[in-house]
Amino acid sequence: MKLNFKKVFFLFLLFLPLIGFAHDVTSADQETLRNGGLWAYIQVGATHMLTGYDHLLFLAGVVYYLNGFKDILKFITAFTVGHCITLIGATYLGITADEHLVDAIIALSILYKGFENLGGFEKFNVKSPNLLLMVVIFGLIHGFGLSTKLQSFDMGQGEFLPKILCFNLGVELGQVLALIPIVFIITLSRKNKDFPAFYKAVNWYLIIAGFGLFLYQMSRFYSGH
């Protein structure tokens, strides 16, 4: 039976927010960190990236716009550098903010990427911002979001910097594991004759999902949950 990659990728995107409820900080995560040493920080970092629907939707939007492995590598590297700076720096310096507000901004980055991919700026006769620069900026914001998650844990007194670095390493490993199926499915979908229509549908999904996640995070912020 021939696999319909359009349906596979659409379902993948559709269920990301459901998978991502595990993205919240849990008592099980805290227990893992308390008993597992530095390796536990790698494990929890990878888990938070793999279940981070907001980060994965943004990465899917970035990759979906690009052609060729070199471009993908360049932009993912830019995103990685950005989120490493704020994840490590903000956590080490104790800079934090309300996690729901940060996640709301991250949701807007998803909406932005879908809008940009669909040529939204051109339709309003506005020159789109430099793509690589925007990926770095959004990487900084996503990294700050990860930092707020890490700072919500009780990290204890010892090995503070190694714990941060191990969590960051876990995030990078999780990102690589998440990107493998995303890049694979997108590459195969490009060979489909219906790719232009699929491209449009996926990016409209990013806009709708980003807006929905923004409202969800803002409602949690105002409700105090």
Side-chain angles (χ1 to χ4, degrees), residues 47-68:
T47 300
H48 273 264
M49 178 54 78
L50 286 169
T51 59
Y53 56 89
D54 43 8
H55 305 296
L56 298 184
L57 285 173
F58 179 78
L59 285 172
V62 171
V63 173
Y64 214 71
Y65 181 79
L66 303 172
N67 288 305

Side-chain angles (χ1 to χ4, degrees), residues 20-30 33 44 48 99 145-146 148-154 167 220:
F21 284 121
H23 190 43
D24 288 336
V25 172
T26 67
S27 57
D29 289 330
Q30 182 63 74
L33 295 182
V44 173
H48 273 264
E99 63 177 296
L146 289 163
T148 63
K149 294 290 191 299
L150 180 56
Q151 291 186 70
S152 66
F153 292 118
D154 178 7
F167 183 84
R220 293 189 71 184

Side-chain angles (χ1 to χ4, degrees), residues 9 18 37 167 183 186 194:
F9 192 63
L18 298 179
F167 183 84
V183 172
I186 289 176
D194 297 323

Side-chain angles (χ1 to χ4, degrees), residues 46 78 200:
K200 185 175 181 180

Side-chain angles (χ1 to χ4, degrees), residues 59-129:
L59 285 172
V62 171
V63 173
Y64 214 71
Y65 181 79
L66 303 172
N67 288 305
F69 180 75
K70 287 185 178 180
D71 278 342
I72 292 173
L73 182 62
K74 179 172 71 174
F75 279 86
I76 295 304
T77 299
F79 178 76
T80 301
V81 170
H83 78 234
C84 284
I85 290 172
T86 44
L87 196 168
I88 297 171
T91 307
Y92 187 75
L93 295 174
I95 302 170
T96 190
D98 185 280
E99 63 177 296
H100 300 306
L101 283 180
V102 179
D103 284 345
I105 297 173
I106 290 174
L108 291 180
S109 75
I110 300 168
L111 186 156
Y112 175 93
K113 200 70 200 76
F115 177 79
E116 182 182 52
N117 287 356
L118 291 172
F121 287 103
E122 288 78 4
K123 291 176 183 178
F124 288 96
N125 294 317
V126 176
K127 184 179 179 181
S128 60

